[in-house]
Every structure is written in C-alpha cells, then in structure tokens.
Amino acid sequence: MKIGFVVSFFDFRNDVRRVITEVAQQHQVTIFGRPENKEEILRHLPAGVEFRLINEKKGGWWNNLWIKLYILFRQIPESRHNFFLMELFKASLATDAAVLKKNHQILAWVRRLPKIISYDFYLNRLQYRAQTDLKGIDQFVCFTAIADDFLMARLVHENHPVKVYVYSWDHACKHTCFSSRATYVCWNERIREDLIHLQHVSSSRASVVGASQFAYIHEYRKVAAQLPRTYDFPYVYVGCAIGVVDLVRDEVSVVKQVAETLQRARPDLKLVVRPYPVQGNWELYAPLRSLPNVVMDDGFRTLDLSVKDSHILEKFEKIAHADAFFHMGTTMGLEACFTDTPSFMLDFGYTSTDGLSLYGFIHQYQNDRHLIELAPQNDVRSTEQLADIFKNLPSPTYRALNRLVQSQYQIKSFKEFANDLIAV
C-alpha cells in the first residue's frame, strides 16, 4: 500500500518522523509538505521516503473572501474559553504594533459574530489548483492542525481516504479543522470523548490508536536501567511551557518563587529547570541562572526545533530520578505520570484570571479535565501549600494521579503505533 503523510512542524515532531520511518518498513511512503516547509522536511526526510510539494493554494477574490469569512464566522469547539484563549495567544505573538492591534480587533469581532460556517462548508467553497501529484496514494494521513486547507478541500472533494491523527491532547479543544468526511484517531478514550463532544465528530468516525509521543516512554522503559544519571544530586524538576514573551516573564517569576520556597523548605534539594523548546529567546530565563539552588537543563537545543532521540530519553531519565515534577501546563506534566515521580500543576502567581494571563494558560481545558480534576491535591495554589508538599513528597496521595493516568493509556512501541495507525 502507498501511504501519503501530509505534514507540518516536521522538525519539531520527532515522533512523527519515527512513525513515518516505521510505516516505510511495510509500505511505500510519500510525504506531502508546503513549499515554505520544504527545507526542514528534506533535512529530516527518512531514508527511502519520497517528498512531494503541495501545490493547491489559489489566489483570487473568491478564495480571499472565503478565507476572511471563515476566520470571522467559523464554528468553534464547545470549549469556547479554550479556543479564544489560544487565539489570543496566537494573536499576541505579533511583534509589530500595527499587526498586533489588527489581530486583537479581528479577535474582538470573532467573539461577537455568529458561528455559522462549518469546516466542511468552508472546504466546499475553496477553489484549489489541483496541481499536487496525488498519483498512486491509497491512504492519506494528516495531523492536526491541518497543514493545508486547499489540499484538504481537494482530498475530501475527490473522495480520497483521509485519516487525521489528533496529534495532541489539547487539539480537540482549540482547533476548528474537523471534517465530517475524514476519520479521526485519538490518544485514548477520554480524548475521543472530547472530540465527539467538543467538535461534534461522529462516534463512528473516531477511534483510539494511542499517542505517538508516548512511544518514547516505551523506549525509555526498555533502556532505563542502562541510562546514566544526568544529575548526581537530589532535585525537583520544572518544565517550562510558555511561548508568549509577556507570559514567560510571569512564568519565570513563579519558578523563582518555587526556587525560593524550595531553598527554605528543602535546602537539600536543587531545582532543575527545563526551558520551553519552542520559545525562541532563552535569555528570558536569565533571572533564574543566578539563583543558588537552580540548575538550567538547556543542553538539548539543535539547529531547528528538532530534538535528538537521545535527549528525549534523557528527558524521561531526568523526570524519573526527580523527587517531583512541576509545571504550568505542558505535556511533560502528563508524561511524568508514567514514571513514579509525582506531577504537580503550579497554579499561583497570577493577578488576573482574564485574557492573556497565567491563570488562563494553566486552566486550559485539557489541563483541567485530564490532570487537575483527576487529582486536585496535586494542584498547587500557593507557596504555603508548595512548602508543605516539599516536606511531604513521599506521601502516596501525590502519586494517585500517576495511577489514574497510567490506567487510561496504552503505551505502544513506534512499530505497534505505526501498524495500528495504518490499520485502523
């Protein structure tokens, strides 16, 4: 069988490259990517895999009109708060003041306008070039968010078999690119429920395959006993997760409070801090480097957003040997639950609960539903509570979350995941 993978963020998604490599052992594989992503795709192209450019985007007043109408009137997920929160985050990434103002104006209109245009309705209105070479492809596999709406419009219009892997635990609650003519595969049953409830995807078109990212957990478990310890001192681990510059400063302020509280409550422990890989300016973490009990875990950055597999396994080793893992909303907080290390949400340090705030980032839909609600005792609401936690880290109550999370997921190897992804 010939499988076509439609990709984006190809340098950042190490696990996608591993899955494609496994699929290529059993099938012919072609990767489809947009011209602006060609260089990064070719730099990481697995051996024996073909690359084809996507050439579907078409200009003109008609498409420009529907693109603008869809932005303003698109249907959004039932998790409205999370959708608008993420749109606000994206709008705030602009560095030009005029662009930033325009982004916020558009978002203000979107809040008020009716949500009447479905993704399928939008795809049906797009005019595409029909210039992408689709010859010989038996099955297309896409990833959320969809890499190219024009290609998607062609695929569903021409009735090509399209499968979409819901790549992250937060995609069902923040994206809008879900078509009734595709089939969807999810991490676990609870995320499948999110997809059905939040996006109104038919239950018959949604199934569970597993999480490709968690295949690294499978690999870590096989080699854990042989991996050397990175740090020869006792420590707790913090994973940073914010890409918006203004909020990074707030995040750093909270981590500084964690370090100071740790110094008072447990001076025998160090605080190891991992910068957010996608944050382009690691100088924002500079205030932490001067703290006496902080060690920066920042040796994994490469040419682009890719991370070496050895560094990913090292990440799990660092989590597993930590006395605790702390975060403000990152997949690492979920990953930590597959070790014996208790995972805690840092839920303090904000002055506002509205708009672009730490509170909004922490209380995203996926964090509330898949972590905080499962184990409220692991939601740290103050430095006083944090100090108590530091003094009682061995308490079994803090590891209840680990057991609950582990019961909800099936950890598969990359080969098992790849086989199931194609077969489902």
Side-chain angles (χ1 to χ4, degrees):
M1 188 157 55
K2 193 156 191 176
I3 311 298
F5 284 93
V6 184
V7 303
S8 58
F9 303 105
F10 198 62
D11 55 341
F12 185 52
R13 295 176 171 178
N14 293 55
D15 55 310
V16 169
R17 302 197 301 272
R18 289 287 302 274
V19 169
I20 289 174
T21 299
E22 289 293 343
V23 172
Q25 305 303 310
Q26 304 294 329
H27 305 276
Q28 289 181 276
V29 171
T30 298
I31 289 177
F32 292 84
R34 296 169 66 167
E36 59 266 34
N37 303 129
K38 178 180 178 180
E39 181 179 338
E40 71 192 43
I41 292 173
L42 291 179
R43 185 162 59 241
H44 296 285
L45 192 69
V49 171
E50 178 188 10
F51 173 66
R52 298 182 192 176
L53 280 174
I54 296 172
N55 186 13
E56 299 299 338
K57 187 174 183 179
K58 190 175 182 180
W61 70 269
W62 177 263
N63 281 340
N64 288 336
L65 171 66
W66 280 103
I67 289 171
K68 292 176 181 177
L69 288 174
Y70 186 61
I71 289 173
L72 294 173
F73 295 96
R74 59 184 157 169
Q75 292 180 354
I76 66 175
E78 293 292 332
S79 46
R80 290 175 56 92
H81 173 75
N82 208 82
F83 167 78
F84 282 116
L85 181 67
M86 294 311 300
E87 290 300 302
L88 181 59
F89 285 152
K90 290 189 289 185
S92 300
L93 292 175
T95 55
D96 182 87
V99 174
L100 183 64
K101 182 178 179 180
K102 181 180 178 181
N103 288 347
H104 286 168
Q105 286 176 338
I106 292 173
L107 188 55
W109 294 337
V110 173
R111 288 183 183 276
R112 296 192 296 267
L113 293 171
K115 311 297 180 283
I116 57 176
I117 300 179
S118 71
Y119 188 56
D120 277 316
F121 190 89
Y122 169 60
L123 293 180
N124 288 341
R125 299 307 180 277
L126 288 181
Q127 296 176 350
Y128 49 84
R129 295 171 61 88
Q131 294 297 308
T132 308
D133 180 8
L134 307 181
K135 182 175 59 181
I137 305 297
D138 299 301
Q139 177 186 137
F140 287 88
V141 179
C142 304
F143 301 84
T144 52
I146 300 301
D148 191 281
D149 289 336
F150 291 90
L151 176 60
M152 188 67 166
R154 181 182 175 190
L155 292 178
V156 297
H157 181 259
E158 296 180 0
N159 296 315
H160 293 278
V162 180
K163 183 180 298 176
V164 180
Y165 173 49
V166 183
Y167 179 77
S168 183
W169 62 327
D170 65 345
H171 283 192
C173 63
K174 73 179 186 181
H175 287 314
T176 59
C177 49
F178 294 91
S179 168
S180 63
R181 292 171 286 181
T183 58
Y184 292 87
V185 290
C186 309
W187 285 17
N188 69 357
E189 182 58 35
R190 281 171 62 84
I191 293 175
R192 178 177 176 270
E193 292 170 1
D194 290 344
L195 192 65
I196 294 167
H197 171 63
L198 301 178
Q199 299 287 350
H200 305 293
V201 170
S202 169
S203 60
S204 64
R205 287 187 168 270
S207 57
V208 173
V209 166
S212 56
Q213 292 96 313
F214 292 172
Y216 283 112
I217 297 173
H218 182 274
E219 294 197 340
Y220 170 72
R221 288 173 173 175
K222 290 194 302 181
V223 300
Q226 288 77 47
L227 288 178
R229 288 192 60 158
T230 303
Y231 303 113
D232 60 359
F233 49 80
Y235 62 95
V236 296
Y237 198 19
V238 170
C240 296
I242 297 177
V244 180
V245 170
D246 289 342
L247 287 188
V248 174
R249 295 187 178 97
D250 292 338
E251 182 181 41
V252 168
S253 175
V254 171
V255 175
K256 185 177 180 181
Q257 293 179 63
V258 173
E260 292 168 347
T261 303
L262 182 66
Q263 183 68 27
R264 291 192 299 269
R266 290 291 303 274
D268 57 310
L269 295 175
K270 293 282 190 180
L271 183 69
V272 177
V273 180
R274 179 185 176 89
Y276 183 41
V278 185
Q279 172 51 247
N281 181 14
W282 280 7
E283 288 304 310
L284 294 168
Y285 303 108
L288 300 174
R289 298 181 187 277
S290 61
L291 299 178
N293 62 336
V294 168
V295 175
M296 296 301 294
D297 175 25
D298 56 2
F300 57 89
R301 175 158 278 185
T302 59
L303 173 67
D304 48 31
L305 294 178
S306 64
V307 178
K308 295 178 181 178
D309 280 8
S310 60
H311 285 164
I312 295 175
L313 296 181
E314 187 180 279
K315 175 188 72 175
F316 287 113
E317 177 270 319
K318 292 169 185 173
I319 294 174
H321 286 115
D323 283 28
F325 181 80
F326 293 88
H327 67 107
M328 278 170 272
T330 166
T331 310
M332 285 181 68
L334 190 66
E335 291 172 333
C337 295
F338 293 96
T339 70
D340 292 327
T341 301
S343 178
F344 297 90
M345 185 77 73
L346 294 169
D347 191 2
F348 63 88
Y350 40 80
T351 57
S352 172
T353 59
D354 299 323
L356 195 64
S357 67
L358 271 186
Y359 178 88
F361 189 88
I362 293 162
H363 287 279
Q364 295 179 68
Y365 177 93
Q366 77 280 359
N367 292 331
D368 282 342
R369 172 163 159 78
H370 299 292
L371 287 179
I372 295 174
E373 292 174 8
L374 288 181
Q377 69 273 20
N378 289 40
D379 185 42
V380 188
R381 304 299 297 272
S382 67
T383 53
E384 291 76 19
Q385 181 188 356
L386 181 63
D388 288 340
I389 289 171
F390 282 146
K391 294 172 183 176
N392 295 282
L393 285 175
S395 173
T397 187
Y398 297 134
R399 287 166 178 78
L401 178 62
N402 300 57
R403 295 190 296 273
L404 288 168
V405 169
Q406 290 179 33
S407 70
Q408 295 174 4
Y409 293 84
Q410 182 181 357
I411 301 299
K412 298 179 178 180
S413 68
F414 279 110
K415 182 177 181 179
E416 291 171 325
F417 177 88
N419 290 341
D420 292 345
L421 177 66
I422 301 305
V424 68

